[in-house]
Amino acid sequence: MSKEGDALSPEFLNSYKRIEKTRKKKSVWYENAEGVIVAKVCSKCEYAKLFEEFPKHNTGIGGREASCKTCKAKDTRDWYKENRDVALEN
């Protein structure tokens, strides 16, 4: 879904603490020394990306969605193509 060029380098990620937790699905993110999330792994494309590359979501880890903006946009486009008539009714 996403281009590999969007992914963060292993050298960048190695400078942060990796955290994995499982709720319904496995979530992976990286924190700095102060405990602030700096990067997450997208649940769709599975690339590590900067925290700002994830849409805001109240119940997500760090207040962000599990999938990145690129994957979310693709999902929205695909849904619209399949459900255009429903979308235009509203």
Side-chain angles (χ1 to χ4, degrees):
M1 283 188 189
S2 182
K3 298 175 185 165
E4 195 170 337
D6 294 343
L8 297 174
S9 69
E11 295 81 24
F12 175 84
L13 296 174
N14 286 336
S15 63
Y16 297 102
K17 180 180 176 185
R18 178 184 169 104
I19 299 182
E20 291 185 34
K21 295 227 173 156
T22 304
R23 290 188 197 172
K24 294 177 185 175
K25 294 173 76 174
K26 183 171 101 173
S27 298
V28 180
W29 67 93
Y30 295 84
E31 294 180 349
N32 63 14
E34 290 83 35
V36 176
I37 299 173
V38 293
K40 287 178 72 170
V41 175
C42 176
S43 64
K44 301 270 185 183
C45 65
E46 298 183 349
Y47 288 123
K49 298 183 176 189
L50 290 174
F51 190 62
E52 293 78 26
E53 294 183 44
F54 291 82
K56 292 181 180 178
H57 192 274
N58 291 340
T59 61
I61 292 177
R64 301 292 177 138
E65 289 197 19
S67 58
C68 66
K69 290 179 181 178
T70 304
C71 292
K72 180 74 173 177
K74 183 184 182 317
D75 287 347
T76 302
R77 277 192 308 274
D78 292 346
W79 181 90
Y80 182 81
K81 286 178 187 176
E82 293 173 12
N83 301 285
R84 186 168 190 257
D85 53 337
V86 173
L88 293 176
E89 284 177 9
N90 298 329

